[in-house]
Amino acid sequence: AQTVTQSQPEMSVQEAETVTLSCTYDTSENNYYLFWYKQPPSRQMILVIRQEAYKQQNATENRFSVNFQKAAKSFSLKISDSQLGDTAMYFCAFTDYYNQGGKLIFGQGTELSVKP
Amino acid sequence: DTGVSQNPRHKITKRGQNVTFRCDPISEHNRLYWYRQTLGQGPEFLTYFQNEAQLEKSRLLSDRFSAERPKGSFSTLEIQRTEQGDSAMYLCASSPSSGQGTYEQYFGPGTRLTVT
């Protein structure tokens, strides 16, 4: 079975600094997608960034970037210049789209607090 | 487009009662997913539809749970004879099945169910 593991239940960072959230996953598939979702205290899940497994280049979206290590099955999220609005739960998610219709398998989440 | 909407946002019910939740996806999205999220955990997949066809159900979805998407637009999730263990946030998400954003799911705000 495919699994996603986030080993950091909580993290904190000072405003304007950089923080990295870790995620590992397990799959025997070669083609899949990985995502980071953000869930602020209001609880609506928002897509932050996605990575296609067939792409070697790491995805970036403004202050958010990933370090995708396919062989190590690692997918970390780096947030640069942290802002107070980045305070949220962050979930790493995996989908084997071709075989499983796009359903997402989520990690347990990392609660990030950005401190002023 | 106003995004994915869910109603009601909160539901309190007594054990043994039936409840029904509604999800309205983004209009051009033909895939619709239901997830359940308990406090401090990542969402867990329940079921998904492509148009009106229910293509997969999780083993988490006991016989007391049923989901429909009769015209391929909105979906309902019904829980019969609710139990205290059903207390959770029920999330709905939608995505297109082709074209841009195929692998990205957009979430609604969720329905928080409390069974007393």
Side-chain angles (χ1 to χ4, degrees):
Chain A
Q2 291 140 340
T3 58
V4 176
T5 302
Q6 293 177 250
S7 58
Q8 304 154 314
E10 298 176 355
M11 293 192 73
S12 66
V13 64
Q14 292 296 126
E15 197 175 6
E17 294 190 345
T18 296
V19 64
T20 299
L21 279 56
S22 301
C23 172
T24 58
Y25 59 94
D26 188 25
T27 183
S28 58
E29 299 297 328
N30 193 45
N31 295 314
Y32 49 87
Y33 291 77
L34 294 161
F35 305 90
W36 279 96
Y37 279 88
K38 169 185 178 181
Q39 193 174 40
S42 65
R43 299 188 69 90
Q44 182 142 9
M45 198 85 71
I46 302 165
L47 178 64
V48 174
I49 198 166
R50 81 175 212 186
Q51 175 78 43
E52 293 90 333
Y54 65 85
K55 289 187 177 179
Q56 292 186 336
Q57 187 173 7
N58 289 324
T60 62
E61 286 287 344
N62 301 313
R63 298 182 296 107
F64 299 88
S65 61
V66 299
N67 182 4
F68 173 50
Q69 301 289 328
K70 190 172 184 180
K73 297 179 182 175
S74 169
F75 182 61
S76 61
L77 174 70
K78 185 172 81 171
I79 306 174
S80 303
D81 186 26
S82 297
Q83 301 176 359
L84 296 178
D86 295 333
T87 293
M89 281 290 286
Y90 285 82
F91 291 99
C92 178
F94 166 99
T95 185
D96 170 17
Y97 187 87
Y98 302 99
N99 295 318
Q100 296 189 351
K103 72 179 184 185
L104 294 171
I105 299 169
F106 286 87
Q108 305 92 321
T110 295
E111 186 172 9
L112 177 67
S113 296
V114 180
K115 300 186 184 304
Chain B
D1 198 315
T2 57
V4 179
S5 62
Q6 292 187 246
N7 289 287
R9 295 290 305 276
H10 303 274
K11 179 72 176 178
I12 300 174
T13 190
K14 293 185 177 179
R15 188 177 57 183
Q17 298 294 305
N18 299 343
V19 294
T20 300
F21 311 141
R22 176 177 171 131
C23 171
D24 287 86
I26 293 172
S27 58
E28 61 268 27
H29 288 180
N30 52 9
R31 288 201 172 195
L32 186 150
Y33 302 82
W34 285 99
Y35 294 86
R36 181 170 69 188
Q37 185 179 25
T38 53
L39 201 61
Q41 301 295 316
E44 296 174 295
F45 169 78
L46 293 178
T47 188
Y48 89 96
F49 295 82
Q50 178 151 329
N51 300 313
E52 64 275 11
Q54 188 174 18
L55 297 186
E56 186 176 349
K57 293 194 297 184
S58 163
R59 279 173 275 182
L60 292 175
L61 216 63
S62 75
D63 291 345
R64 298 185 296 105
F65 288 71
S66 62
E68 294 183 342
R69 194 182 183 197
K71 297 182 180 179
S73 57
F74 72 91
S75 175
T76 58
L77 177 68
E78 181 183 15
I79 309 174
Q80 295 183 328
R81 305 180 304 281
T82 52
E83 302 173 356
Q84 287 188 322
D86 297 331
S87 295
M89 178 76 85
Y90 290 84
L91 298 172
C92 176
S94 70
S95 76
S97 61
S98 62
Q100 187 175 1
T102 299
Y103 312 109
E104 298 174 2
Q105 294 183 24
Y106 296 86
F107 283 81
T111 295
R112 177 172 292 287
L113 173 66
T114 302
V115 181
T116 62

